[in-house]
Amino acid sequence: MLSRVADSIYWMSRYIERAENVARFVDVTLNLILDMPVGSLQQWQPLVDTTGDTGEFGRRYGGASQTSVVQFLTFDQENPNSILSCLRAARDNARSVREIISSEMWEQINEFYLMVNAAASDPRGLGATPSLFSSVKMSSHLFTGVMEATMTHNEGWHFARLGRHLERADKTSRILDVKYFLLLPAVADIGTTYDDIQWAAVLRSASAFEMYRKRHGRMSPERIVEFLLLDREFPRAIHWCMLQARSSVHTISGTPAGMFRTGFEHLLGEVCSELAYGQSDEIVAKGVHEYLDHLQARMNLIGAGIHDTFFARQLAPPPVQPTTPRRKGQRRAAERRA
């Protein structure tokens, strides 16, 4: 497959997933405000911090309010991470690979973009956004369903799957980080109704509330971290997303399972192994923010490695079997033989 085509499919999928996630946590925040006690501070700034656009937002909008944040994240054409900008970019990428994707996929993404673009021109302005966010989420699910049902599950499909799961893992980590780093209540609030409302909002941001309740029942920070970070069956958990990404990478590169050809394949395997053996109690004790910060940095390196390997047309070396550190005696024997 041409690197240009692979690049377009990969980013088409990432942009649609990003638009859905932005709609998801803005919608949850709007509902969270309704559940908060009277007189509570509205938490709009953390949404901007989640996207990593704090500097750009502060320069153009100043302070965070419901109107400014919703406008910035939904309709702002100069913000590359707004819902409208993501869908425009996804549509441009889809147009460039129309001969690869199905006509149903193109029609769905085109209708998706036109719906949000029409809402941006709606004279009712931001008053119509709650229903819009629900439509964005459902349109994203519909696109994914259409792609699964109408696109051949070949190399192109794996690039789309890879982009979707890397983007979803990144956004789940940011949603979890916001709670621990920015919304952390006062010590007196821990374990109170106020704290539970915020944890429920975090779970709803990832559409995880009902599934978490079925698995663990009562609210517990350690169990919520475990569910969103380490679960290997829930489709929005970071571990599950990274396993799906690794599966697609190996299918595309042809590298046998358990081996690696490039640095990013090795790093992806390391991350999956670390999540498989991770313990939520240990992560919470050592610091969730520090853990997620390190994880996000490595996911960025994996994304850069995918670009260098598949889109910049660099030939991959032969596969390498991961090695375990040799014991001291073995190392000395090897040195003597040398």
Side-chain angles (χ1 to χ4, degrees):
M1 172 173 284
L2 294 174
S3 58
R4 175 190 63 80
V5 173
D7 190 21
S8 296
I9 294 176
Y10 172 82
W11 279 107
M12 172 193 70
S13 184
R14 283 202 73 151
Y15 281 130
I16 290 178
E17 182 69 25
R18 187 173 300 178
E20 179 195 333
N21 280 280
V22 172
R24 188 181 296 281
F25 59 68
V26 173
D27 191 31
V28 167
T29 302
L30 286 169
N31 290 311
L32 175 63
I33 291 172
L34 301 177
D35 295 333
M36 296 293 282
V38 176
S40 301
L41 291 176
Q42 295 187 6
Q43 303 279 4
W44 287 104
Q45 183 63 42
L47 268 69
V48 180
D49 298 330
T50 301
T51 65
D53 297 316
T54 308
E56 174 70 11
F57 176 80
R59 183 179 64 79
R60 293 173 46 208
Y61 288 85
S65 65
Q66 177 175 333
T67 302
S68 61
V69 171
V70 173
Q71 172 65 28
F72 179 70
L73 294 179
T74 308
F75 298 131
D76 194 324
Q77 300 200 36
E78 296 182 31
N79 173 19
N81 292 317
S82 72
I83 295 173
L84 182 60
S85 296
C86 286
L87 292 177
R88 184 174 59 236
R91 183 172 177 251
D92 290 343
N93 279 288
R95 180 188 287 116
S96 69
V97 291
R98 285 190 64 178
E99 75 281 7
I100 303 296
I101 64 176
S102 66
S103 59
E104 289 86 354
M105 289 171 64
W106 166 249
E107 290 169 6
Q108 173 57 28
I109 200 169
N110 201 35
E111 290 177 7
F112 193 178
Y113 167 74
L114 293 175
M115 176 190 73
V116 176
N117 194 43
S121 306
D122 192 325
R124 292 175 296 172
L126 300 177
T129 46
S131 60
L132 174 67
F133 295 136
S134 297
S135 298
V136 169
K137 287 183 284 184
M138 291 309 299
S139 295
S140 174
H141 294 168
L142 183 56
F143 175 80
T144 302
V146 169
M147 185 178 74
E148 294 292 316
T150 64
M151 184 178 185
T152 303
H153 289 198
N154 56 9
E155 199 173 55
W157 179 82
H158 278 288
F159 273 112
R161 183 170 177 253
L162 175 60
R164 180 169 74 250
H165 287 109
L166 284 181
E167 182 68 29
R168 186 178 295 177
D170 177 74
K171 285 295 178 290
T172 298
S173 72
R174 290 175 184 273
I175 288 170
L176 193 54
D177 200 20
V178 163
K179 168 60 185 173
Y180 252 96
F181 188 57
L182 299 172
L183 298 181
L184 195 65
V187 175
D189 292 330
I190 295 177
T192 63
T193 304
Y194 178 79
D195 196 29
D196 285 348
I197 289 173
Q198 287 195 340
W199 278 119
V202 169
L203 288 169
R204 287 195 174 95
S205 296
S207 289
F209 185 74
E210 288 83 4
M211 293 299 107
Y212 172 83
R213 284 289 199 186
K214 292 178 187 295
R215 176 73 62 85
H216 297 291
R218 62 182 293 273
M219 291 287 181
S220 163
E222 288 79 11
R223 298 289 77 81
I224 292 173
V225 169
E226 178 184 338
F227 192 66
L228 292 181
L229 186 59
L230 306 177
D231 197 277
R232 55 186 306 150
E233 296 178 349
F234 181 62
R236 290 194 172 273
I238 296 172
H239 188 196
W240 191 88
C241 291
M242 299 308 287
L243 288 174
Q244 304 309 307
R246 185 180 66 175
S247 171
S248 285
V249 163
H250 280 270
T251 302
I252 293 168
S253 66
T255 306
M259 303 180 75
F260 66 91
R261 294 175 189 269
T262 61
F264 92 86
E265 281 186 343
H266 184 239
L267 182 57
L268 184 55
E270 276 189 351
V271 170
C272 289
S273 297
E274 182 181 298
L275 292 170
Y277 292 100
Q279 297 290 326
S280 59
D281 297 347
E282 293 180 3
I283 294 171
V284 171
K286 292 179 180 177
V288 175
H289 170 67
E290 289 74 13
Y291 184 90
L292 292 174
D293 200 36
H294 184 51
L295 180 62
Q296 287 167 3
R298 287 184 292 170
M299 287 195 288
N300 289 338
L301 289 175
I302 291 169
I306 289 170
H307 175 271
D308 293 342
T309 303
F310 296 127
F311 308 147
R313 296 184 63 80
Q314 291 184 359
L315 296 178
V320 177
Q321 178 75 44
T323 56
T324 55
R326 288 184 293 187
R327 295 177 181 174
K328 188 179 294 183
Q330 292 175 318
R331 187 163 60 246
R332 286 174 178 170
E335 290 171 354
R336 283 198 296 272
R337 285 196 297 271

